[in-house]
Amino acid sequence: MNTFFNGRETWLHKINPSLKLFTITCLFIFAITIHQLNLMVAFSSVVLLLFLFGTGHSLKHILLFSLPFILIFVSTSSSMILFGKGVTTLFKWGYVHITEESLLRGIHLGFRALTFAMLGLIFALTTKPVKLFYSLMQQLKLPSKYAYSFMAAIRLIPVMIEEFHTIRNAQKVRGAKRSGKIIEKIHRMHALAIPLLSQSIRRAFRIAVAMEAKRFDSTKKRTFYYHVGFTKFDFIFLSYFILMIALSYKFSTYFPLLPDTDVRFSND
Amino acid sequence: MSRGLKLTDILVTIVISIGFGILYKIWGPLYYAVKPLGLHIDQLIYGMWFMAATVAFLIIRKPGVALLAEIAASSGEFLMGSEFGLEVLLYGVVQGLFAEGAIAAFRYKRFDLVVVSLAGISSCVGSLIMDFYKGYIGDLTTWNLTLFIALRIIGSILFTGLFAVSLVKALEATGVTKLVRPSSKEDYEALNQ
């Protein structure tokens, strides 16, 4: 869901959302079983390829989305690089102890975080929430009262953001200070959060009463406005990953770019 | 009384949680901006991610709310395009399950600081288990790992315990919680007079 930039529709948009979610969950689990840096780098590039060219957004937008990735890479890898276990010392200064093992492990973690971020963004950029919840209802039998509540709540996001601005402006008009001590900051957070939360609860309650009156919580067999099924693109999506993962195995075995060791620490 | 959550409970929980989801999305950049400092200062603010579960539970006070809240908050964050990607959704499910477990241990009968703090610590344990596999935190040097865990637990108690309770107390004062809580024994007695 991204309302700021609207890209083209691509084949990734046409994949069944439940299947897409299931696939990237499997890829997540697969990624945390990778302990070889070479394979991790190869797998990251498989995802990168799809992220760069698959989402239907221009490269400029994709680069813009990727800006936080640099921070993620640095922040995820740094504490492991600086404080991880290891034997072969590269650098030591006070508490900081960089070893070859911790360096490799840190970089590995950085790539892992990058992969998860890209997978998540691929999903978010190519999936309409409404289609996702319709698909969850039809394919995974999610009870309709949950699905419709989710859809209603997502529709309320813009209203909540608008209300947030209204409350803040009202506070500004009344002379609320911007800076201050931590205690004052907490008070100001409260002054913002309480009206925002209480109004949201009241609104949600009103909507829920209306939805119950219209039998949205009915457990009888429903009909659906949107029918979400499977297409050939689902098959292409699955084969892409199966094929490319097989390729990355081969590639990382025959052309290891980096030291080929298990990044986990072992005592032997 | 019917079993399970009614549509009203579900919608209110999800709306509160999606609100937290927006907050989490803003919280992310703050988190990884303080993270490279290295000494795990970031772990102090990690507890924010467990807060949706306890706040929603304190407001609605029904079984299942904590789990639903944590899942809804994380899926909100996920669908808005979180920098952490799919990770948030899976962590959300695990943290929600652990929080729910802690609350269920008190048979959903206690709504005080101790219970929600324990729920927070429980979520914290859940997230640590995930980090053990995903982030290799077991491979940090011992002093560093201890600091990491200690700061995260302190943060959990701070956010899911203290902040959540004070937030809900303030909400109770506005009267809005009466809309969504199950009617208590006193309410029925009031009708009998």
Side-chain angles (χ1 to χ4, degrees):
Chain A
M1 187 186 78
N2 205 301
T3 45
F4 306 111
F5 306 104
N6 286 314
R8 283 178 299 113
E9 283 239 332
T10 61
W11 63 282
L12 284 177
H13 288 79
K14 294 180 186 125
I15 296 162
N16 184 298
S18 300
L19 182 94
K20 207 192 291 180
L21 189 61
F22 179 74
T23 312
I24 63 169
T25 310
C26 290
L27 289 174
F28 178 93
I29 295 165
F30 170 69
I32 56 176
T33 60
I34 299 179
H35 304 298
Q36 313 287 342
L37 184 54
N38 282 309
L39 184 57
M40 195 66 233
V41 175
F43 180 61
S44 306
S45 36
V46 171
V47 180
L48 179 73
L49 212 61
L50 213 55
F51 178 61
L52 286 182
F53 305 110
T55 60
H57 286 262
S58 64
L59 274 180
K60 205 176 85 190
H61 286 164
I62 291 289
L63 284 179
L64 205 63
F65 293 140
S66 323
L67 276 182
F69 289 7
I70 303 163
L71 262 172
I72 285 200
F73 191 95
V74 174
S75 73
T76 313
S77 53
S78 62
S79 45
M80 184 52 81
I81 292 177
L82 298 179
F83 306 109
K85 283 180 193 164
V87 206
T88 331
T89 306
L90 294 176
F91 179 78
K92 197 169 169 123
W93 181 75
Y95 285 116
V96 176
H97 184 202
I98 304 179
T99 59
E100 201 181 310
E101 291 90 340
S102 73
L103 180 67
L104 288 179
R105 201 181 305 125
I107 295 171
H108 187 90
L109 285 177
F111 271 103
R112 205 179 251 188
L114 265 187
T115 314
F116 296 158
M118 287 190 293
L119 278 175
L121 260 184
I122 289 174
F123 186 87
L125 288 175
T126 62
T127 312
K128 292 202 177 90
V130 172
K131 287 280 165 65
L132 170 65
F133 289 110
Y134 267 91
S135 166
L136 289 177
M137 273 192 286
Q138 287 168 41
Q139 269 87 45
L140 298 181
K141 306 289 172 227
L142 178 73
S144 60
K145 55 181 177 182
Y146 288 95
Y148 285 114
S149 296
F150 264 101
M151 283 189 262
I154 286 171
R155 286 267 181 267
L156 287 179
I157 294 177
V159 184
M160 282 196 245
I161 292 173
E162 204 186 299
E163 205 162 67
F164 168 77
H165 287 299
T166 312
I167 295 169
R168 221 178 38 183
N169 287 339
Q171 287 176 347
K172 254 188 220 160
V173 168
R174 292 176 193 179
K177 277 185 289 177
R178 276 203 141 256
S179 59
K181 294 188 194 93
I182 289 179
I183 296 288
E184 286 172 23
K185 274 189 179 150
I186 291 174
H187 273 289
R188 258 206 322 280
M189 287 260 276
H190 250 221
L192 199 65
I194 299 302
L196 206 57
L197 265 176
S198 60
Q199 288 299 353
S200 301
I201 293 171
R202 287 204 181 92
R203 194 178 298 114
F205 182 75
R206 283 198 300 272
I207 294 172
V209 169
M211 284 169 76
E212 273 180 7
K214 296 195 169 184
R215 308 295 289 151
F216 267 92
D217 55 343
S218 154
T219 44
K220 288 194 188 125
K221 195 174 169 8
R222 301 188 64 89
T223 52
F224 297 105
Y225 185 73
Y226 296 110
H227 283 278
V228 188
F230 293 96
T231 56
K232 63 172 188 237
F233 296 108
D234 299 310
F235 178 72
I236 298 176
F237 187 62
L238 284 180
S239 351
Y240 173 82
F241 279 111
I242 293 170
L243 219 83
M244 291 305 262
I245 287 170
L247 261 179
S248 23
Y249 259 112
K250 279 262 178 270
F251 188 80
S252 59
T253 323
Y254 292 111
F255 307 100
L257 301 167
L258 295 148
D260 196 28
T261 45
D262 195 315
V263 290
R264 286 170 298 179
F265 183 74
S266 59
N267 283 312
D268 48 58
Chain B
M1 241 182 63
S2 63
R3 281 176 55 84
L5 296 172
K6 287 186 302 179
L7 195 141
T8 314
D9 308 323
I10 297 170
L11 186 62
V12 172
T13 308
I14 294 177
V15 166
I16 296 169
S17 312
I18 297 268
F20 271 99
I22 301 172
L23 190 63
Y24 291 176
K25 179 76 177 69
I26 307 167
W27 209 249
L30 179 68
Y31 174 73
Y32 57 73
V34 293
K35 203 172 178 185
L37 299 175
L39 283 170
H40 302 309
I41 310 292
D42 51 308
Q43 295 306 317
L44 269 179
I45 64 168
Y46 198 100
M48 174 58 106
W49 273 289
F50 312 145
M51 204 175 157
T54 55
V55 169
F57 173 71
L58 285 173
I59 292 174
I60 298 171
R61 297 187 171 176
K62 281 188 183 170
V65 165
L67 174 62
L68 178 65
E70 200 60 25
I71 293 175
S74 57
S75 56
E77 189 187 1
F78 174 61
L79 289 174
M80 273 182 277
S82 165
E83 291 80 0
F84 300 106
L86 186 65
E87 194 183 322
V88 290
L89 195 58
L90 298 177
Y91 270 63
V93 174
V94 171
Q95 288 159 8
L97 278 173
F98 273 76
E100 189 71 40
I103 295 169
F106 291 95
R107 295 167 167 270
Y108 304 100
K109 292 224 169 82
R110 284 182 58 180
F111 319 100
D112 50 24
L113 183 64
V114 178
V115 178
V116 288
S117 301
L118 282 174
I121 294 170
S122 180
S123 293
C124 175
V125 171
S127 71
L128 285 170
I129 293 172
M130 292 290 279
D131 274 347
F132 185 78
Y133 289 104
K134 196 224 84 189
Y136 297 137
I137 54 167
D139 288 353
L140 284 169
T141 46
T142 316
W143 69 269
N144 207 262
L145 181 63
T146 318
L147 187 71
F148 181 89
I149 294 174
L151 286 178
R152 186 177 287 188
I153 289 178
I154 293 170
S156 312
I157 297 173
L158 204 64
F159 281 97
T160 54
L162 292 171
F163 288 177
V165 166
S166 84
L167 197 69
V168 175
K169 275 229 173 83
L171 273 177
E172 277 167 0
T174 69
V176 72
T177 48
K178 287 195 191 116
L179 281 178
V180 286
R181 272 186 195 156
S183 4
S184 61
K185 210 173 155 205
E186 291 92 72
D187 296 331
Y188 287 114
E189 278 165 6
L191 285 175
N192 276 333
Q193 280 167 7

